[in-house]
Amino acid sequence: MLSRRSILAGLATAPLMSTRAFAAEPLNVVATTGMIADAARAIGGDLVTVQALMGPGVDPHGYRQTRSDIVAMTRADLLLWNGLYLEAQLEHFIETLAKRVPVVAVGDAIPQDVLLHHADYENRPDPHVWMAPQLWKHAVVATRDALIAQRPEAADTFAANADIYLADVARVGAYAETSTAQVPEPSRVLVTAHDAFGYFGRQFGFEVMGIQGISTDSEAGLQRIRTLVDDIVTRKISAVFVESSVSDRNIRALIEGAAAQGHEVKIGGELFSDAMGEPGSYEGTYVGMIDHNVSVIAGALGADVPPGGMDGKLSHGV
Ligand code: ZN
């Protein structure tokens, strides 16, 4: 028969043992952009907590770390960032942090030979790799592998969750192919506030024209705006697009410039270029963000897209 003392000892030690064996603290992951955080959340499930530094409407090109960001990054078990010089102002801090905290640039997983380069962005690739789901899958795999490296015992769970997530990414990629394919050939021009849609354009067959270049850190010149206005008028472009993370001032200048030459061009909608929608909303997920962009672009440029997008989940309809 067990003594009272040994029963108490058993009660005291049992939960402790199970805590050690099965319920380690969730891995504390910090991600710079919402797109990366979404992948980490989906793959990590209950085994991770994920904080995104940049919320809706935040422009990553000029983003500087706040005090609370520094605390979060310093305390993280894993920091995930895009790299490819997207988070230009954070780069120095993150490089220093990498001596103490595991840091992975998921954009580095995109094969070098498919990266785009632009004349106005010397020696640096276009960092907007999430815009083509067919490319972004490499960053998702890198996110999975980074989580596995920190929690090898959960590798099977992370791999299974990643497979589900990758299937969703592939599905929205297929939806993007079929919806954009309906846009008539002369209308396959995407005019936006900055050059965030290069990979989208290459994947889905659109010519892209950004008012500002790859980064938003330089102002667009008047000459650039004049050239674009002339293009819009001569090619009878019917719609241009604003972006949730960039001021719409330049886009409005295009519309006014075209109007002065007697050509009416409308705003085709607001796109999520470098930041996703509100957390908790469909557009606040990677799949929802791409669904939104594709449905808005294809719909405004002449395709017959389903109301509410791929699954009828878009909040504003298209
Ligand atoms: Zn950008």
Side-chain angles (χ1 to χ4, degrees):
M1 191 175 145
L2 291 169
S3 70
R4 181 180 160 77
R5 178 180 286 251
S6 65
I7 289 169
L8 285 175
L11 285 174
T13 53
L16 192 65
M17 285 172 66
S18 69
T19 301
R20 277 194 189 136
F22 305 115
E25 283 286 300
L27 192 73
N28 173 16
V29 179
V30 173
T32 52
T33 70
M35 294 73 85
I36 301 169
D38 188 59
R41 271 190 202 107
I43 297 168
D46 295 343
L47 302 176
V48 304
T49 57
V50 181
Q51 178 188 347
L53 298 184
M54 303 179 201
V58 175
D59 176 356
H61 300 286
Y63 187 81
R64 288 180 186 278
Q65 66 270 20
T66 64
R67 275 172 192 277
S68 63
D69 291 344
I70 293 171
V71 173
M73 285 192 271
T74 309
R75 288 181 182 166
D77 296 322
L78 173 65
L79 175 70
L80 298 172
W81 64 314
N82 189 82
L84 305 175
Y85 210 64
L86 177 73
E87 306 96 331
Q89 306 298 326
L90 297 186
E91 199 159 271
H92 181 69
F93 179 82
I94 291 177
E95 275 167 7
T96 309
L97 184 77
K99 295 176 186 132
R100 289 191 285 153
V101 173
V103 166
V104 175
V106 298
D108 286 350
I110 313 294
Q112 291 283 319
D113 59 344
V114 297
L115 293 176
L116 289 169
H117 293 266
H118 288 248
D120 74 334
Y121 206 53
E122 244 179 290
N123 301 323
R124 290 180 181 132
D126 181 341
H128 303 93
V129 287
W130 55 91
M131 285 299 183
Q134 291 80 348
L135 281 189
W136 187 239
K137 68 180 181 199
H138 297 289
V140 173
V141 169
T143 301
R144 177 198 69 192
D145 293 346
L147 293 179
I148 291 175
Q150 297 309 313
R151 284 284 158 87
E153 66 276 19
D156 290 348
T157 305
F158 293 155
N161 290 346
D163 285 348
I164 295 168
Y165 190 76
L166 285 165
D168 287 343
V169 171
R171 190 164 158 263
V172 80
Y175 170 71
E177 293 278 2
T178 53
S179 349
T180 55
Q182 299 174 45
V183 175
E185 197 57 45
S187 302
R188 294 179 155 273
V189 186
L190 184 55
V191 182
T192 58
H194 87 299
D195 263 325
F197 291 85
Y199 294 104
F200 181 96
R202 181 177 66 181
Q203 184 74 44
F204 305 114
F206 285 75
E207 186 182 342
V208 294
M209 298 183 189
I211 305 174
Q212 286 174 280
I214 295 290
S215 173
T216 54
D217 65 3
S218 59
E219 270 301 307
L222 278 181
Q223 186 53 46
R224 175 71 182 148
I225 291 182
R226 270 192 218 113
T227 307
L228 275 174
V229 166
D230 290 345
D231 278 343
I232 288 169
V233 173
T234 38
R235 300 173 65 170
K236 299 187 171 60
I237 292 169
S238 63
V240 295
F241 299 87
V242 296
E243 300 172 30
S244 66
S245 53
V246 184
S247 158
D248 64 359
R249 187 165 43 97
N250 289 330
I251 286 289
R252 295 197 179 279
L254 286 187
I255 293 171
E256 285 162 23
Q261 295 189 37
H263 175 70
E264 192 192 333
V265 55
K266 65 177 194 297
I267 291 182
E270 183 184 69
L271 304 179
F272 298 114
S273 53
D274 292 2
M276 307 196 302
E278 291 297 325
S281 72
Y282 176 57
E283 290 82 354
T285 67
Y286 175 75
V287 166
M289 166 197 201
I290 299 296
D291 185 3
H292 170 93
N293 286 349
V294 164
S295 302
V296 167
I297 292 167
L301 297 179
D304 187 18
V305 292
M310 179 171 73
D311 293 326
K313 288 184 184 170
L314 293 178
S315 55
H316 302 297
V318 289

